[in-house]
Amino acid sequence: MRWMSINLVLVCALSVLTAGATEVKLVDEGVAKCRVVIRADASATERLAKDELAKYFSRATGVGALDGSYPIELKIDTAGQLGDGGFELDVRADGATITGGNDEGLLYGVYGVLKRFAGMRWLTPGLRACAMTTADLENLQETWSTS
């Protein structure tokens, strides 16, 4: 019963992103309205980041495949502005982007978004992630950097 109530709270919390004054629905009536996007020649780390974001987003919201129209793009910063391990989250009306300073930064970005906004926690290696808190999705524009 506890897991069911947590999932219901997370469905409500993850269903909307706010990008300025525009509201973007990620989940509507149990149907995913978003999808995770990577480039065609993505690295193994970029593919892993996509799989992890899709898997844990689906667990948190209870939706199946993320096959909606709102793109959540995952990419690595080739200009070097974010530094090793740094990442940036950019939410716009036409899509969201998680950009990592390198492979490690992209994974930090995906897990950071899942932790902060979906309440996911990984308590021990090999343990399934579990939802610990509800999400606050206001003002998602952020840059995290290790430098």
Side-chain angles (χ1 to χ4, degrees):
M1 185 65 117
R2 180 167 163 75
W3 283 99
M4 184 180 295
S5 64
I6 290 172
N7 279 337
L8 291 177
V9 169
L10 287 173
V11 169
C12 296
L14 282 172
S15 64
V16 176
L17 284 177
T18 302
T22 305
E23 190 173 275
V24 178
K25 288 189 176 188
L26 299 180
V27 176
D28 189 20
E29 296 184 19
V31 177
K33 299 297 180 186
C34 62
R35 69 184 191 285
V36 183
V37 179
I38 55 175
R39 56 193 173 92
D41 61 341
S43 68
T45 303
E46 289 169 305
R47 289 190 304 275
L48 173 64
K50 176 184 178 182
D51 292 345
E52 293 286 271
L53 183 59
K55 174 173 65 175
Y56 290 115
F57 181 87
S58 293
R59 280 189 189 172
T61 61
V63 299
L66 299 183
D67 54 5
S69 60
Y70 184 80
I72 301 172
E73 181 183 9
L74 305 179
K75 64 182 186 176
I76 295 174
D77 171 35
T78 55
Q81 294 178 320
L82 297 174
D84 290 348
F87 69 89
E88 178 179 62
L89 172 62
D90 180 29
V91 179
R92 304 167 314 282
D94 64 341
T97 305
I98 301 172
T99 306
N102 60 358
D103 286 348
E104 180 182 41
L106 180 59
L107 288 172
Y108 283 155
V110 166
Y111 293 128
V113 165
L114 288 166
K115 180 180 176 184
R116 180 161 181 201
F117 302 112
M120 302 302 288
R121 298 294 187 269
W122 292 262
L123 302 176
T124 183
L127 180 68
R128 234 176 73 166
C130 58
M132 302 294 283
T133 63
T134 59
D136 174 14
L137 297 176
E138 296 290 322
N139 303 314
L140 288 181
Q141 304 280 95
E142 287 193 14
T143 299
W144 292 27
S145 178
T146 56
S147 21

